[in-house]
Amino acid sequence: MEPFVYDYPVKNYFGAGAVDQALSAELPKMGEKVMLAYGGGSVKRTGLYDRLTDALRVAGKTVVDFGGIMSNPTYEKCQEGAALARSEQVDFILAVGGGSVFDCCKVVSAQALLDEDIDDYEHK
């Protein structure tokens, strides 16, 4: 194997006030196009979706919507997100939800930058 450096920074915010803390800390670091990734309807039902999209737009960001990430996301859903990230030239992925959303976005972020199919890394 050829030598390489693997750097995969992930930052998660939890608890009361986490949204405000995350937005104030991370918005200035985000690129212009932000993929907002989320699961089912609770993000919209609770008003969090509107709050986030409003804050992103006020900060001058373009929002690329990637919703419907299910529990135990499928290969197809991950590929859908990667294709969207590539076609929209997304600068930043904002994953909102739980572990399934986070895990899907990890694959999306890697696959969006790879020419090879990420599935080949696991099965070949």
Side-chain angles (χ1 to χ4, degrees):
M1 177 183 284
E2 295 294 319
F4 67 95
V5 174
Y6 179 75
D7 182 20
Y8 196 84
V10 175
K11 189 179 293 185
N12 297 313
Y13 291 81
F14 297 95
V19 170
D20 295 326
Q21 181 187 9
L23 289 176
S24 65
E26 303 302 328
L27 274 175
K29 301 177 202 173
M30 294 179 191
E32 191 268 326
K33 277 201 180 174
V34 177
M35 176 185 275
L36 180 56
Y38 56 93
S42 65
V43 170
K44 289 191 174 181
R45 233 180 6 263
T46 62
L48 182 57
Y49 178 86
D50 291 333
R51 186 172 169 197
L52 290 171
T53 55
D54 289 347
L56 290 167
R57 289 189 178 112
V58 165
K61 311 299 181 185
T62 300
V63 177
V64 176
D65 194 87
F66 179 49
I69 300 171
M70 68 288 284
S71 294
N72 301 313
T74 62
Y75 168 83
E76 290 77 17
K77 190 65 176 178
C78 294
Q79 291 300 321
E80 175 189 332
L84 181 62
R86 261 190 245 102
S87 69
E88 293 291 331
Q89 299 179 339
V90 167
D91 299 308
F92 189 92
I93 300 173
L94 178 56
V96 180
S100 291
V101 174
F102 290 6
D103 290 345
C104 181
C105 289
K106 291 173 197 173
V107 175
V108 166
S109 66
Q111 183 65 75
L113 298 176
L114 290 172
D115 293 326
E116 307 85 15
D117 188 326
I118 200 164
D119 191 54
D120 290 343
Y121 286 98
E122 183 173 340
H123 295 105
K124 291 185 181 173

